[in-house]
Structure formats: C-alpha cells, structure tokens
Amino acid sequence: MPLSKRALAEFFGTFWLVFGGCGSAVLAAAFQPPGPPVPGAPHLGIAFVGVAFAFGLTVLTMAFAIGHISGCHLNPAVSIGLVVGKRFPASELGAYIVAQVAGAIVASGVLYVIASGRPDFVLGGFATNGFGDHSPGGYSMLACFLIEVVLTCFFLLVILGSTDERAPKGFAPIAIGLCLTLIHLISIPVTNTSVNPARSTGPALFVHGAALSQLWLFWVAPILGAIIGGFISNTFFAAPQPPLREEMSR
C-alpha cells in the first residue's frame, strides 16, 4: 500500500477520533435542551463515562476499518512509540504525523461549525486539555504532566502487546479501544485526557488563549510516555515480527 494512501487513512481515522471523542464531550456530555432549565427534568448528558467510551469506540471502530491499511495509529505519540519499539519505520513518521494533525484540525473545524449552530452556543473549553486553572479538577502542571506520561506509556504497552504475533489474533482493536476508554475514565478530571498531541492540537487552535499556551505539555508528555513504553516493550518483551500495519490485517 503506497504511503500516500496509508497517510490518507490516518487522516480519516484521526478525524473520526477527534470528531467522535471531542464531539461527545462538546455536544453530549452535559446536554441541556435550549431555553430556561426545567426543574425536575431528567439529565440527558452522557457525562465522563460516556465521553470515555466514545473515545474508546472511535479507536475500536477505526482499528477494524483501517488497521489493515495504515495500522490505525491516529496519534503522533503512538507512531513515535512504534518507531522506538521497532514496529514502524522512521522514514514514514513525518507523513503519518502530518496526516494525523491535519485530520484532528479538520475534525475540530467541522465540530465547531456544528456546535455553533445552536442559538445559545458558547465556545467554552471546546474539549481542550489543560493544567492548573485549566485542568477540570484544578490539578498542577506536574500532576498533569506525570499522568499523561504514565498513561501514554501504558497505552503503548497495550498496543504493542496486543498486536504482538504471539498474542491472540483479532482481538487487538478491542484491547486498544478498551484501554483508551480506561485511560479517559482515569484522567478526564485531571487533564481532560490527551495522550494524543493531534487530539489536543485541533480543539486548541479554535479556543486559543491558555489552550494554545499550554499545548506544549500535551505534545511533550505523551511523546515522552510513548518513547518509554516503546523502549520497555522492545527491551523486555519484543520478538521479531512484521510492521504493525501487517499485523492489524490478520
């Protein structure tokens, strides 16, 4: 499969991740019908748990849809971690990262147009990530940096382990999707959950301000965590095997 087609698959896959995951947070997490609040009306939003599952489901569905084409990275940190884990060629890294970031930005733009179609629309956080005053729970920069490193590290361990040639075949998308769900269940209150620089970049470009000034953390910490995860996997658990995109096609 030509690199251009695999990069295009990453574009569409990352679009789906950001549109589905961030869209659930922006449109459905705390849903209220237009107009004044109605006392005793049922709460219709999906809340943290729903958003967590939305992110996991985007990865699970795309892994089945494009895993056999591109490996379904959808995440610059994952691509870098796979290079460190010797499961992806460094020569293709740039094309994948550009496609992933572009997909996230386009998805955020489409989501912005949809969300702003509501008469009482207020941009607000727009599913951005942040620390300190911009953390959902007010967590410090150190706490946010550490949780992003740890969770991305374990995300890579799950990705590399579940796609290992010795692992049960056909279950990798389920393991990876559920892992991302768990990651969001843990860290939405801390950073609004990134573990993905592309996912963080798209919404931040529309919110500006602190979302952009704090964006560096959501590139540095996930990439560092992915490098650690790739190193651990390659050093202690690796076996000779084909690139990830070939494994996902099985």
Side-chain angles (χ1 to χ4, degrees):
M1 183 74 69
L3 177 58
S4 58
K5 290 187 177 180
R6 287 186 276 120
L8 186 61
E10 286 293 304
F11 171 88
F12 284 114
T14 311
F15 178 101
W16 186 237
L17 170 74
V18 173
F19 185 77
C22 295
S24 70
V26 172
L27 303 176
F31 178 78
Q32 289 288 342
V38 179
H43 176 68
L44 302 176
I46 62 174
F48 285 175
V49 173
V51 173
F53 272 99
F55 272 100
L57 289 171
T58 61
V59 170
L60 189 154
T61 52
M62 272 296 125
F64 281 115
I66 67 168
H68 57 288
I69 299 171
S70 68
C72 193
H73 301 185
L74 316 186
N75 183 336
V78 167
S79 296
I80 291 169
L82 292 174
V83 170
V84 175
K86 298 184 178 179
R87 301 276 289 280
F88 185 68
S91 61
E92 299 180 355
L93 184 60
Y96 267 51
I97 291 177
V98 169
Q100 291 156 359
V101 174
I105 293 172
V106 173
S108 299
V110 174
L111 179 59
Y112 177 84
V113 172
I114 293 170
S116 62
R118 182 167 163 148
D120 57 351
F121 169 73
V122 177
L123 181 59
F126 199 57
T128 54
N129 304 111
F131 57 83
D133 291 340
H134 301 282
S135 156
Y139 287 84
S140 68
M141 181 179 70
L142 176 60
C144 293
F145 189 92
L146 185 59
I147 199 168
E148 289 287 329
V149 170
V150 170
L151 291 178
T152 313
C153 173
F154 276 87
F155 194 32
L156 261 293
L157 290 176
V158 170
I159 291 170
L160 289 164
S162 63
T163 56
D164 191 291
E165 63 179 5
R166 299 161 292 178
K169 306 304 179 189
F171 292 97
I174 299 172
I176 295 167
L178 288 176
C179 180
L180 190 61
T181 299
L182 174 60
I183 285 170
H184 280 78
L185 289 173
I186 295 168
S187 61
I188 288 177
V190 184
T191 63
N192 218 19
T193 309
S194 173
V195 301
N196 184 338
R199 169 263 182 271
S200 298
T201 300
L205 291 176
F206 289 84
V207 174
H208 305 292
L212 273 180
S213 66
Q214 296 185 354
L215 182 60
W216 65 268
L217 186 145
F218 302 103
W219 275 84
V220 175
I223 289 174
L224 177 59
I227 290 171
I228 295 170
F231 174 79
I232 291 171
S233 179
N234 185 58
T235 302
F236 298 107
F237 309 126
Q241 53 200 304
L244 183 60
R245 63 178 178 274
E246 297 178 23
E247 297 163 18
M248 292 289 284
S249 67
R250 299 176 188 171

